[in-house]
Amino acid sequence: MTGSAQPRRVVALGMPRHATGPLAAPITAPEPFADAAARKLKDTQLRANLGHATRTIRDKRAAVVAEVDDWEALRDRAAAVKDDVIARLPELLARFASAATAAGATVHHAADAQQANDIVLGLVQAEQADRVVKVKSMTTQEIGLNEVLEAAGIAAIETDLAELIVQLAHDKPSHILVPAIHYNRSQIRDLFALRMPGFAADSDDPAQLAGAARRYLREQFLSAQVGVCGANFAVAETGSLVIVESEGNGRMCLTLPRTLIAVVGIEKLVPHMADLGDFLRLLPRSSTGERMNPYTSIFTGVTPGDGPQQLHIVLLDNGRGAVAADPVGKQALRCIRCSACLNVCPVYERVGGHAYGSVYPGPIGAILSPQLTGQQAGHNRSLPYASTLCGACYDVCPVKINIPEILVHLRQTGPKPLAERQLMSALSWVMRDRRRWKAALRAARAGSAPLRLMTRRRGHTLRRAPWPLSAWTAHRDAPLPAQESFRDWWRRTHE
Amino acid sequence: MTARDEVLARIRYALSAPADPVDPPRDYRRTGEHAPGAPQLLQLLTERLTDYKATVHSATPQTLGSVLATALHGTHRVVVPPGLPEEWMPASAVVDDGDLSYADLDTVDAVLTACVAAAADTGTIVLDAAADQGRRAITLIPDRHVCVVRAAQVVQSVPELLTRADPRRPLTFISGPSATSDIELQRVEGVHGPRNLIVVILND
């Protein structure tokens, strides 16, 4: 047999893998959420900016959602369509790839951030371009594409106003829809005056600032050779991509360059063109609080004489397969990145997006980042605790992701500190046996007896305990064990 | 093993546990309460467009010429697609034969086109790059877009628009002029796309 002469390579084929390595940094928290949050809470300007912005958007969303009489039916249907997509991903991906290829696109597959970045960088270098114009894209943020391009001497120009603000400030995005939500108008004006060549505006009126961005970027758009975008939706039956935007920077990048590269998460699929109807009604209302966003572009492959003549589509896994394998957590793949959950979250509103340490902040980030990377990565295991479990995020989610349920699930399945694990296994040993449990209760009663007198006026509740119990009482009261157990009470009164 | 096989193999593995099949109820509304072109729809379209800071004029075949002249007031060069109806053609028309450079398009004052459909609920017009609308660049670079919507093209909702648009053509859904909410989440009109959108509803 000639085949046996070849050494067989043993590869763990198809095991879903998390997003790992240095390129997972954009979605990996570098410090525990509680530490970052405690620091951010002291920034009163940040809290004022966020409070103002999220209040504005919450009111707008509520008004346009109230106009839709079948909103709940829309949510149910959209959730079901996305669940169907997740269940049939291999089939739909293949269908999308063949339809897009037939229409003139080149389809690439990337298992992780590294592969996706390599593909995009190779394509840009093949075009001999020294810069690319970018449509706002969470997926390219997730893989850290800009940093990779810049390391290779290629300027990645963000053209969305908020992304541009963040880029000019050398800052990080803090919101999915409005990455510069943590800046107010006068801060933006000062930044433009400092970093935007040719900036001239005599006030911090948002319309004037938007006008300055228009003048600054126009030349870039008209001369760009390569555009880079993500996609809001990818239609499997036709191979079409859908980009939802407001400013027209998206249309510029999708229309004017010779070559367009789209980096698309595999969960962005919808099966049919007709399915888009619901999503196009849900997304703008949930996202910017508009009935419809100013511009939605739908394009399929290449159209001779109109727009880019080369279209590359990079389909990205980067941990999504691993999320799909979790029966509870996979709902997170329904997400259409509207950011409604951020705007209603009492935690996000106070700490802002940077505290989450990932380009996906807020409630959706708290379930998405640790699932994409695995909870062991960095401090992502602390993110599921960045919530009060109030459920406001679930109420507004246009695809009905039960975020509180996933948060609890991740808390239950995530890694725990050694002391907690030891405590829990000791407790489990005690509680497994009636006699041990009874003895433990008796000991607790005896041990806490001296405290009962001290805490008489406070309902037998301890406000401050010594270390290590102080970790508990720092945030909550500790009730003392009852003087009599239920069993003892029953025996005394019924037997 | 290619990256494609790897991605697909991983997902197949992830999905190998039995799950309940999902059968989404696709009971989409494909028709509106009102027939296309109904007066109620024209009125709603006008309100919604105006709400998002577009300018709306109404015209009949007899008044169209003067309405277009008003809409194009103050312009010197107006780019038009090659298939624009002859009777809509302004005197200052520059017909786009596909040769105009982006720099040229940046110097014209306005663009005048037809559309393929419009939705009243959201004030959305759809372009599909047909001969009376032209390639996408001509409706993007000029600062003023004058779009003629025929009454019969006006439907109620966005889902109905999708049934009227051919996804094999490049589609652009336009709801008001270019806008942004990126500064303090306050909406302001006028960024990169045309800052003036003028819609002429033609009752023919």
Side-chain angles (χ1 to χ4, degrees), chain A residues 102-122:
Chain A
T106 309
V107 177
H108 310 259
H109 293 76
D112 54 28
Q114 167 106 46
Q115 286 184 8
N117 286 324
D118 287 350
I119 293 168
V120 176
L121 178 61

Side-chain angles (χ1 to χ4, degrees), chain A residues 71-87 278-279 282 330-331 333-336 394 397-402, chain B residues 22-25 28:
Chain A
W71 185 256
E72 290 305 318
L74 280 180
R75 292 176 74 206
D76 285 329
R77 224 162 33 204
V81 167
K82 278 293 184 182
D83 285 348
D84 176 40
V85 167
I86 298 158
D278 282 350
F279 289 100
L282 287 164
K330 68 178 178 186
Q331 301 172 61
L333 294 178
R334 292 180 194 158
C335 177
I336 54 173
Y394 182 28
C397 178
V399 286
K400 259 190 157 162
I401 301 169
N402 191 335
Chain B
V22 188
D23 191 13
Y28 299 134

Side-chain angles (χ1 to χ4, degrees), chain A residues 13-17 52-53 56-57 69-70 77 80-81 84 86 89-90 93 109 111 115 159-162 178 184-185 209 213-214 217-218 221-222 246-247 249 251-252 255-256 266 271-275 277-278 290-298 300 303 306-307 317 321 325, chain B residues 1 3-4 6-15 19 22 24-30 48 51-52 102 106 121-122 124 129 135-137 139-141 143 158-159 162 167 169-175 177-188 190-195:
Chain A
L13 294 183
M15 281 293 287
R17 225 173 50 201
H52 170 66
T56 309
I57 195 72
D69 57 0
D70 57 343
R77 224 162 33 204
V81 167
D84 176 40
I86 298 158
L89 262 180
L93 275 173
H109 293 76
Q115 286 184 8
T159 64
D160 170 76
L161 180 54
V178 191
N184 66 26
R185 60 184 75 188
L209 297 171
R214 177 187 168 96
L217 286 172
R218 184 133 284 231
F221 288 132
L222 298 183
S246 294
E247 297 170 11
N249 66 308
R251 291 177 71 193
M252 291 278 177
T255 310
L256 304 185
I266 54 176
H272 305 290
M273 199 50 122
D275 296 331
D278 282 350
E290 293 167 312
R291 294 184 191 100
M292 190 72 177
N293 51 296
Y295 300 129
T296 299
S297 297
I298 304 179
T300 310
T303 308
D306 189 345
D317 179 349
Chain B
M1 166 168 229
R4 174 178 171 277
E6 193 182 342
V7 171
L8 291 179
R10 278 189 198 173
I11 300 158
R12 283 202 191 92
Y13 181 92
L15 300 173
V22 188
R26 288 194 162 86
D27 47 346
Y28 299 134
R29 293 182 189 175
R30 287 169 210 273
R48 292 286 149 94
D51 192 23
Y52 280 166
Y102 298 152
D106 201 26
D121 273 353
T122 55
T124 304
R135 59 185 170 128
R136 283 173 287 172
T139 46
L140 174 60
I141 299 177
D143 207 11
V158 170
L162 289 167
R169 312 182 65 91
L171 303 176
T172 307
F173 290 55
I174 299 174
S175 311
S178 152
T180 184
S181 306
D182 279 355
I183 298 172
E184 299 179 7
L185 286 174
Q186 180 193 324
R187 186 183 155 107
V188 294
V191 202
H192 302 293
R195 287 182 285 193

Side-chain angles (χ1 to χ4, degrees), chain B residues 132-155:
Chain B
D132 58 359
Q133 299 148 53
R135 59 185 170 128
R136 283 173 287 172
I138 67 166
T139 46
L140 174 60
I141 299 177
D143 207 11
R144 189 189 308 187
H145 181 189
V146 181
C147 184
V148 179
V149 179
R150 293 187 173 92
Q153 293 177 318
V154 181
V155 297

